[in-house]
Amino acid sequence: MTAQTDRRPRLLILDDDPLVGCTMQFIAEDLGLETCFVSTAMAFFAQLEAWQPTHIALDLIMPDMDGVQVMKRLAGDRCRARIIITSGVGSRVLDAAGRSAAEHGLDIAGVLSKPFSTGDLRQLLAGAPLAPPHAAPATSPARPNAAPPHPELGVADLRRGLDADELLVVYQPKIDCTDARLTGFEALVRWLHPDYGPIAPDRFVPLAEASGLIAALTERVLELALQWFAPICADRTGLAGGRQLSLSVNLSAKAFNDLDFVDRLAQCCLQLQLAPERLILELTETSAMDDPVASLGLITRLRMKGFHLSIDDFGTGFSSMLQLVRLPFSELKVDKSFVMTALQSEESRTVVKSIVDLGRSLGLRTVAEGVETAEVFDFLRKIGCDQAQGYHIARPMTGDATLRWMREHAATR
């Protein structure tokens, strides 16, 4: 279909309730939109083809084709209209439908639980920027200093990067939710490619795992991170202030197959005069389930040596509770998908509070990641979360920048 951009925005409404449809028409027309109301899926798709709306409002519960089926077909047709989902099925089902549609590439303006207020509909219609229907998304102009697109990087590229010391470790501070004092850092790896700039770990860690390079990658990250962290723990920088700071490092499931990993890590800490209790190894629950027998043995040995263990992304998988029973974790990390939506979603707030309460009852420290606003941090403080990290506190920084941040943060306490 050819998009038309020289006309008024258009709202196509699919609802089997004429009263709802007429109400939505009245509100939209008052805002200057052209409107069309249909009550069947057949009429909807015929009008969609002929009329090319910029906005669509559809009810999930329809007698001939439900809203999920409609949105699946819209996604297949690469529809670019802004979509408002309405229904009386309840907020959780509505939210799930909205997430599903967005994951299929549809542009979701929002969801409205029936009965909805006229103000809520006005806000969605008036506040949403218009997109041409059935057209590919516009591309942003290239920035002069932007890195070129990444090519398909292979094993040889990664091996060369490891040999050339192109890995960079950055650090994101964690603070106490009670008094905002610094408690530690999470070490995060970046690949500084000479041609393509910083490459995020989700681009190269799976490659390292599949190619057998993950052991070399993990040990290089640990080496760099511990060398940076050891002087801070010894207070040779004068920045720890006597506090028992910690360092978190992500551990790949592939490490479970290396029987000597625990001993090498312990030896490294001994050489750096770094107490193992200062190091927290983070594992996702899914990685710990890849080989339950091997993971149990390695994790038990790590805890026996004094290292702490954190279950990362807690609550995003089906095995979380099982893992808490099976494995000797000392920390729960609340997944950022719940934390970042805590202010907008009652369900997310309930999940976060439940995880914090569970951690407290089991004697585990709780850490919330993805804290991006003061309001979310205040919510975490009120529900008793122990620690927090996220852009509201600090972005991941190089080692030198982190030391500067520590000085500035200490000056505000």
Side-chain angles (χ1 to χ4, degrees), residues 12-241:
L12 177 58
I13 304 163
L14 172 59
D15 200 301
D16 62 344
D17 186 337
L19 180 59
V20 172
C22 291
T23 300
M24 296 182 81
Q25 277 189 295
F26 176 79
I27 296 170
E29 288 173 357
D30 187 55
L31 290 171
L33 283 75
E34 296 182 45
T35 64
C36 179
F37 165 57
V38 295
S39 59
T40 67
M42 182 179 295
F44 171 82
F45 284 109
Q47 191 66 16
L48 180 74
E49 179 74 21
W51 203 49
Q52 299 184 44
T54 53
H55 289 65
I56 292 172
L58 61 89
D59 188 12
L60 286 182
I61 308 299
M62 296 289 297
D64 54 345
M65 179 185 287
D66 65 51
V68 174
Q69 293 173 304
V70 170
M71 288 188 289
K72 184 176 180 180
R73 181 166 164 181
L74 289 174
D77 291 342
R78 300 178 61 82
C79 176
R80 302 309 303 169
R82 297 278 285 174
I83 298 174
I84 298 170
I85 305 172
T86 69
S87 185
V89 295
S91 61
R92 297 188 67 181
V93 177
L94 265 173
D95 288 343
R99 287 193 299 271
S100 174
E103 288 170 3
H104 280 85
L106 293 176
D107 189 0
I108 304 302
V111 297
L112 288 175
S113 182
K114 292 182 177 179
F116 53 82
S117 70
T118 58
D120 289 339
L121 179 58
R122 282 178 177 273
Q123 183 175 351
L124 286 179
L125 290 174
L130 303 181
H134 298 279
T139 56
S140 300
R143 291 175 296 169
N145 298 322
H150 297 161
E152 199 61 42
L153 297 167
V155 177
D157 299 294
L158 181 56
R159 184 175 286 111
R160 182 202 56 75
L162 283 166
D163 292 340
D165 287 331
E166 292 172 4
L167 292 184
L168 171 70
V169 178
V170 294
Y171 306 91
Q172 185 169 41
K174 297 188 289 186
I175 64 173
D176 190 290
C177 289
T178 303
D179 57 14
R181 290 187 177 274
L182 178 67
T183 59
F185 314 90
E186 180 176 1
L188 303 163
V189 64
R190 302 289 187 265
W191 179 7
L192 288 182
H193 195 282
D195 298 324
Y196 304 104
I199 299 176
D202 59 359
R203 292 282 323 277
F204 63 88
V205 170
L207 177 64
E209 290 179 329
S211 63
L213 292 174
I214 191 62
L217 175 64
T218 301
E219 296 204 19
R220 182 57 177 156
V221 170
L222 281 165
E223 179 186 1
L224 293 171
L226 295 183
Q227 286 177 354
W228 174 83
F229 186 55
I232 296 175
C233 286
D235 217 8
R236 292 196 292 271
T237 62
L239 295 174

